[in-house]
Amino acid sequence: NAGVMQNPRHLVRRRGQEARLRCSPMKGHSHVYWYRQLPEEGLKFMVYLQKENIIDESGMPKERFSAEFPKEGPSILRIQQVVRGDSAAYFCASSPRTSSYNEQFFGPGTRLTVL
Amino acid sequence: DAKTTQPNSMESNEEEPVHLPCNHSTISGTDYIHWYRQLPSQGPEYVIHGLTSNVNNRMASLAIAEDRKSSTLILHRATLRDAAVYYCILTSNRDDKIIFGKGTRLHILP
């Protein structure tokens, strides 16, 4: 059973461009979470999605950031008009939610660099 | 959200046991205690979790105080590969997201 896949692993964008980060959850997992880790800081929750639904987006910046998890295909975190402050590692996690606790399985992350 | 308190960093010698403490004095009755760790340049990985009783798995042991206001992650025989940031986290059915604190950076000395 393959783990959580994220691509690309590294992404370089110039200011003003768009960044698209993809996350394929583990097989059988229908819950996806996105976290951001700024350099030398801890992980911050961004958004929680189930198939075709956003459940909790309380950690998402109000502008330029959006996320989706379509019925078919990976979850996408989209950052429009990137700025230097968006440079960070973005981690995706998935969960089966078949248990009463909330173990999440993390991907290797996408490291975004904005020039 | 219930908060946890951990030391910023700890050191241990290779092949010795390591006890990583965590305080969570505001824990509620339905909160689970989870531990994750993040190795350098990698995503976090699940280590262990518990509710009231002590737990053991192939990676570690979790000792939970009787009043549940603190817990200790025990690595029985640390190796250099255990050098990581260890996060103690409370989770519940009320909220699916994980709130990461600063964690404890564990250094292993050869």
Side-chain angles (χ1 to χ4, degrees), chain A residues 82-100:
Chain A
V82 295
V83 301
R84 288 220 174 102
D86 297 332
S87 295
Y90 292 82
F91 292 98
C92 164
S94 73
S95 169
R97 285 295 281 172
T98 57
S99 302
S100 58

Side-chain angles (χ1 to χ4, degrees), chain A residues 37 56 97 100 102 104 106, chain B residues 36 38 44 93 96-98:
Chain A
Q37 187 169 35
D56 182 349
R97 285 295 281 172
S100 58
N102 186 28
Q104 295 182 11
F106 285 80
Chain B
Y36 285 78
Q38 187 175 21
N93 285 333
D96 288 290
K97 59 181 177 281
I98 293 178

Side-chain angles (χ1 to χ4, degrees), chain A residues 9 33 35 37 40-45 48 56 58 91 97 99-104 106-108 111, chain B residues 32 34 36 38 40-46 49 87 91-93 95-102 105:
Chain A
R9 294 292 305 277
Y33 312 79
Y35 296 83
Q37 187 169 35
E40 303 304 319
E41 292 191 15
L43 292 97
K44 303 290 185 191
F45 167 79
Y48 161 38
D56 182 349
S58 58
F91 292 98
R97 285 295 281 172
S99 302
S100 58
Y101 61 89
N102 186 28
E103 179 183 343
Q104 295 182 11
F106 285 80
R111 280 151 183 82
Chain B
Y32 281 84
H34 273 82
Y36 285 78
Q38 187 175 21
S41 301
Q42 294 188 29
E45 64 174 342
Y46 165 83
H49 79 279
Y87 297 98
T91 63
S92 74
N93 285 333
D95 196 352
D96 288 290
K97 59 181 177 281
I98 293 178
I99 306 296
F100 285 89
K102 294 188 184 299
R105 185 173 295 276

Side-chain angles (χ1 to χ4, degrees), chain B residues 3-38:
Chain B
K3 297 282 194 285
T4 64
T5 305
Q6 299 177 252
N8 289 333
S9 66
M10 289 183 65
E11 263 185 12
S12 179
N13 293 319
E14 196 177 8
E15 299 189 3
E16 290 188 356
V18 182
H19 291 235
L20 295 161
C22 180
N23 288 321
H24 29 78
S25 58
T26 58
I27 191 171
S28 73
T30 56
D31 287 339
Y32 281 84
I33 302 159
H34 273 82
W35 284 80
Y36 285 78
R37 72 179 184 180
Q38 187 175 21

Side-chain angles (χ1 to χ4, degrees), chain A:
Chain A
N1 188 9
V4 176
M5 310 282 283
Q6 289 188 250
N7 68 81
R9 294 292 305 277
H10 299 273
L11 181 62
V12 179
R13 286 287 178 266
R14 296 190 182 279
R15 281 179 296 169
Q17 291 184 319
E18 178 180 286
R20 280 185 181 240
L21 288 62
R22 294 175 186 77
C23 169
S24 296
M26 288 180 69
K27 188 176 180 181
H29 289 192
S30 58
H31 301 254
V32 166
Y33 312 79
W34 286 93
Y35 296 83
R36 176 167 67 173
Q37 187 169 35
L38 295 170
E40 303 304 319
E41 292 191 15
L43 292 97
K44 303 290 185 191
F45 167 79
M46 298 182 75
V47 62
Y48 161 38
L49 310 101
Q50 292 181 36
K51 284 287 187 181
E52 300 183 277
N53 290 306
I54 295 175
I55 306 303
D56 182 349
E57 56 182 348
S58 58
M60 285 279 270
K62 294 285 184 274
E63 298 176 349
R64 302 187 297 109
F65 285 71
S66 62
E68 63 177 11
F69 188 17
K71 188 176 181 181
E72 302 292 336
S75 175
I76 307 285
L77 179 68
R78 182 180 176 211
I79 311 172
Q80 295 178 289
Q81 299 176 321
V82 295
V83 301
R84 288 220 174 102
D86 297 332
S87 295
Y90 292 82
F91 292 98
C92 164
S94 73
S95 169
R97 285 295 281 172
T98 57
S99 302
S100 58
Y101 61 89
N102 186 28
E103 179 183 343
Q104 295 182 11
F105 297 81
F106 285 80
T110 293
R111 280 151 183 82
L112 172 66
T113 302
V114 179
L115 302 177

